[in-house]
């Protein structure tokens, strides 16, 4: 359907339904919104802390590990390509130093990989990792933070003598208005068996006072004696590679983990991202979420369930299972398909929105993204990244962007091919002039000040070929605003003429400042540049009865 047909469709609707006065009238109590989740106002910049910026060379510990060093463990590939599985120096000071850089793009929260303590040697068990290798941990370190030895203690590579985690969260808020998303784990600790000789830290867990509370003893899971206190923390069967498999049904394990999560909230964590959520039963997450929210009502959490089946991952979002949102993997898959391929069709994105009759408790609460540290980076052109961001910051969901994507950093590479390579201050300085970042900054700043884009109901007009058009509408106690989003991912400018559900009044385009004042029955006409976006906003309550009725119906079917 082309632009002209939008106007014809509106005329047909009017002819069938009769004049507006015969349509159902909205009431003063009508509320329209996608979500009222406060965290929906945020946009998240995802940082792999050790691979961001080295802000404090004093915490690098390049000599750490002895015979099993942890610093700069390079994996060489063909044609000069490389990855790294050792520490590379990034830390909280490096993130704080660049708080203005992050906030200036329009982000309001930073998701950090886990800051908890990890082992101080490279792992000697499992198969040796090589460039491009998968599902092997031999020779790797805990630079990523997911191999906890103490869930209560910050890793020495990330904090500084004059910057604790609490100091960091306070400074990010007070200096830059940036919230902190804390990454938590429940299903595993560190790699725990197959070492030629048992290594300190691996397979061990310590409490807040530094006492040993669990030890895998370098034993295969099936050889554990779970009647023994130090082995009772673990299941006697494996889960992921050689990682210890925590027994979430053990009350002592539950207390250990949940109390650690509460500890980090007290240190300034504003939300949780939950690693490998699908590897732990819903019963644990219900206990955990009830305890967290009893002390911190409404605390927002989203989990990683690495599956592309919406019906599967949606189970976590149900209140009976803890009411935890999830990363939107079905959307991620569709976004990569659309924005890596110039010949793609915007229509591919419509089915994964699940705006009505979907499996999620609320699709607007999902965190949306196109890549991260666990998968290949999106292999798009600069304009493909620009198009992806234009969609990500206008469609439903809470946008998440992985560090370096603002310059297309290491595009197309997987985890051990460069996906997690060190970004560094030099790249950040170069990014300030990069076209991807410039376009990202524009649309992210628009979302930051536009409630309709943060939590408004999404009413699609047309997603077809290189163009997409839809409304985002919010009308509740805090805002009354309609946004019309027009997207063009093509190489040529596109003309739009929108009359379906268009309301009379003044509409202002948020990037250019251009205004149009429409009379009843008049269409909004616009020309969107190649790889461009326009967001036309009308302030005030919905006064078109047909639009109000459509919104009422969509809310009922959400």
């Amino acid at each position: 359907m082309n632009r002209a047909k939008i106007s014809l469709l509106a005329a047909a609707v009017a002819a069938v339904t009769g004049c507006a006065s015969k349509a159902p009238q909205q009431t003063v109590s009508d509320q329209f919104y996608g979500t009222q989740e406060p965290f929906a106002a945020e946009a998240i910049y995802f940082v792999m802390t050790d691979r961001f910026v080295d802000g404090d060379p004093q915490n690098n510990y390049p000599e750490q590990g002895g015979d099993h060093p942890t610093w700069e463990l390079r994996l060489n590939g063909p044609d000069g390509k490389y990855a790294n599985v050792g520490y590379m120096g990034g830390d909280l000071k490096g993130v704080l130093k660049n708080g203005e850089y992050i906030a200036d793009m329009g982000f309001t929260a930073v998701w950090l990989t886990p800051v908890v303590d990890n082992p101080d040697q490279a792992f000697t068990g499992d198969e040796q990792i090589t460039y491009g290798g998968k599902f092997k941990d031999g020779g790797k370190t805990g630079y990523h933070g997911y191999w906890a030895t103490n869930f209560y203690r910050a890793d020495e590579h990330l904090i500084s003598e004059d910057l604790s985690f609490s100091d960091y969260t306070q400074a990010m808020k007070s200096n830059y208005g940036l919230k902190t998303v804390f990454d938590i784990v429940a299903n595993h600790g560190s790699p725990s068996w197959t070492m030629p000789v048992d290594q300190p830290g691996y397979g061990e867990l310590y409490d807040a006072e530094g006492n040993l509370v669990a030890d895998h003893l370098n034993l295969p899971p099936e050889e554990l004696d779970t009647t023994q206190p130090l082995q009772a923390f673990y299941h006697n069967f494996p889960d992921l590679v050689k990682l210890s498999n925590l027994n979430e049904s053990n009350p002592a394990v539950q207390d250990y983990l949940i109390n650690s999560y509460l500890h980090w909230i007290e240190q300034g964590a504003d939300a949780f991202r939950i690693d490998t959520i699908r590897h732990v039963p819903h019963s644990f997450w219900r206990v955990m979420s009830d305890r967290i929210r009893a002390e911190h009502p409404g605390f927002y959490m989203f989990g990683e369930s690495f599956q592309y089946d919406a019906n599967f991952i949606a189970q976590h979002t149900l209140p009976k299972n803890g009411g935890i949102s999830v990363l939107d993997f079905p959307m991620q898959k569709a976004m990569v398909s659309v924005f890596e391929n110039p010949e793609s069709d915007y229509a591919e994105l419509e089915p994964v929105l699940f705006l009505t009759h979907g499996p999620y408790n609320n699709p607007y609460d999902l965190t949306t993204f196109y890549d991260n540290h666990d998968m290949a980076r999106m292999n798009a052109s600069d304009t493909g990244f620009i198009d992806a961001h234009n969609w990500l910051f206008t469609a439903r969901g809470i946008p998440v962007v992985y560090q370096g994507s603002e310059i297309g950093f290491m595009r197309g590479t997987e985890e051990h091919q460069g996906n997690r390579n060190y970004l560094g201050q030099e790249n950040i300085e170069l990014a300030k002039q990069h076209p991807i970042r410039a376009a990202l900054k524009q649309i992210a700043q628009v979302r930051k000040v536009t409630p309709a884009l943060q939590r408004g109901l999404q009413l699609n007009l047309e997603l077809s070929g290189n163009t997409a058009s839809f409304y985002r509408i919010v009308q509740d106690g805090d805002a009354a605003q309609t946004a019309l989003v027009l997207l063009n991912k093509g190489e040529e400018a596109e003309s739009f003429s929108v009359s379906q559900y268009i309301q009379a009044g003044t509409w202002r385009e948020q990037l250019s400042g251009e205004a149009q004042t429409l009379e009843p029955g008049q269409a909004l006409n616009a020309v969107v540049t190649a790889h461009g976006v326009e967001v036309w906003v009308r302030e005030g309550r919905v006064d078109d009865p047909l639009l109000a009725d459509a919104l009422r119906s969509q809310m009922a079917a959400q």
Side-chain angles (χ1 to χ4, degrees), residues 114-163:
V115 304
V116 297
D117 201 21
N118 275 233
D120 296 337
Q121 297 181 350
F123 184 56
T124 61
D126 204 5
E127 296 179 73
Q128 184 73 23
I129 189 66
T130 56
Y131 176 85
K134 295 182 179 180
F135 310 117
K136 301 173 184 177
D137 285 334
K140 293 170 64 174
T141 67
Y143 71 90
H144 43 68
Y146 293 100
W147 291 357
T149 59
N150 190 328
F151 281 75
Y152 293 81
R153 177 181 172 184
D155 194 274
E156 70 276 11
H157 296 88
L158 306 181
I159 57 174
S160 300
E161 285 189 10
D162 57 350
L163 189 75

Side-chain angles (χ1 to χ4, degrees), residues 173-396:
K173 282 193 187 76
S174 60
N175 294 346
Y176 309 112
L178 290 167
K179 296 181 178 179
T180 297
V181 178
F182 193 91
D183 203 323
I184 65 169
V185 183
N187 78 302
H188 70 265
S190 61
S192 298
W193 76 99
T194 67
M195 293 170 278
V197 177
D198 198 3
Q199 295 178 262
Y202 286 99
E204 301 169 1
L205 285 177
Y206 294 83
D207 65 15
E209 287 73 42
N211 301 309
L212 181 68
V213 294
D215 193 344
H216 213 283
L217 298 175
N218 200 21
L219 294 172
E222 59 273 15
E223 295 183 17
L224 291 172
D225 181 358
T226 55
T227 66
Q228 299 299 313
L230 290 181
Q231 297 175 52
F233 262 53
Y234 304 114
H235 286 297
N236 58 3
F237 53 87
D239 184 17
L240 295 170
V241 285
K242 302 303 186 292
L243 299 173
S244 58
N245 188 5
L246 295 175
N247 181 4
E248 73 291 330
S249 64
N250 181 338
V253 174
Q254 291 185 5
D255 284 344
Y256 176 85
L257 292 172
I258 296 171
N259 287 337
S260 77
Y261 307 152
L262 289 166
H263 165 76
W264 294 112
I265 295 175
E266 292 165 1
Q267 302 304 305
D270 298 289
F272 286 156
R273 180 266 189 181
I274 301 172
D275 187 60
T276 55
I277 191 173
R278 69 185 180 92
H279 291 261
V280 178
H282 294 308
S283 56
F284 173 85
W285 298 119
R286 178 61 187 268
V287 170
M288 175 268 206
S289 63
D290 284 351
R291 282 189 55 184
I292 295 293
R293 289 168 177 155
E295 295 192 32
H296 304 277
F299 192 81
Y300 179 75
M301 298 179 270
F302 63 100
E304 175 230 11
S305 183
F306 203 140
Q307 290 280 331
Y308 293 108
D309 180 351
N311 289 301
F312 181 87
I313 67 174
Q315 296 302 305
H316 298 287
T317 71
L318 305 180
K320 68 179 181 180
N321 295 330
I324 296 168
S325 191
V326 289
L327 285 155
D328 192 348
F329 279 89
M331 175 73 77
Q332 181 271 328
K333 184 177 182 180
M335 285 189 69
V336 168
S337 176
V338 169
F339 298 116
E340 283 188 345
N341 175 17
E343 305 304 316
S344 62
D345 191 327
Y346 259 121
E348 293 182 53
L349 293 167
E350 191 157 16
V352 295
L353 286 166
F354 293 101
L355 298 178
T356 61
H357 304 95
Y360 303 106
N361 186 58
N362 190 328
Y364 294 84
D365 295 344
L366 304 184
T367 43
T368 49
F369 69 112
Y370 51 78
D371 66 20
N372 64 23
H373 59 321
D374 288 328
M375 58 178 61
R377 283 184 178 262
M378 187 166 69
N379 194 19
S381 64
D382 284 5
T383 53
F385 276 94
I386 290 169
D387 295 332
H389 294 146
N390 288 341
W391 168 264
L392 194 67
F393 284 82
T394 56
R396 70 102 178 105

Side-chain angles (χ1 to χ4, degrees), residues 34-72:
T35 180
Q36 292 184 312
E37 164 59 56
F39 212 81
E42 313 303 335
I44 303 170
Y45 188 72
F46 171 37
V47 167
M48 173 157 274
T49 316
D50 175 71
R51 301 305 171 82
F52 189 60
V53 168
D54 186 354
D56 180 8
Q58 298 304 310
N59 62 12
N60 290 348
Y61 303 103
E63 305 303 321
Q64 189 180 71
D67 292 337
H68 310 296
T70 62
W71 180 253
E72 285 276 15

Side-chain angles (χ1 to χ4, degrees), residues 524-539:
L524 186 148
N525 297 306
V527 177
V528 180
T529 59
H531 304 289
V533 56
E534 293 190 0
V535 180
W536 291 87
V537 170
R538 174 188 180 274
E539 302 290 349

Side-chain angles (χ1 to χ4, degrees), residues 376-457:
R377 283 184 178 262
M378 187 166 69
N379 194 19
S381 64
D382 284 5
T383 53
F385 276 94
I386 290 169
D387 295 332
H389 294 146
N390 288 341
W391 168 264
L392 194 67
F393 284 82
T394 56
R396 70 102 178 105
I398 303 170
V400 180
V401 176
Y402 182 29
Q403 68 179 47
S405 293
E406 65 270 32
I407 59 172
F409 184 65
M410 301 303 299
R411 63 190 89 192
T413 60
E414 296 195 56
E415 177 182 343
H416 296 116
Q417 296 176 334
N419 170 300
R420 301 180 177 185
N421 280 10
Y422 183 72
L423 184 62
Q425 195 65 44
E426 183 177 348
N427 274 320
I428 287 178
E429 296 306 316
L430 292 173
K432 294 175 183 179
Q433 307 303 321
H434 201 285
I436 298 177
R437 184 182 186 271
L440 166 61
K441 176 179 175 178
Q442 285 191 312
I443 193 59
Q445 289 287 1
V446 169
R447 186 186 188 276
K448 185 177 180 179
V449 298
T450 309
L453 295 184
Q454 298 166 8
R455 54 192 176 86
L457 201 66

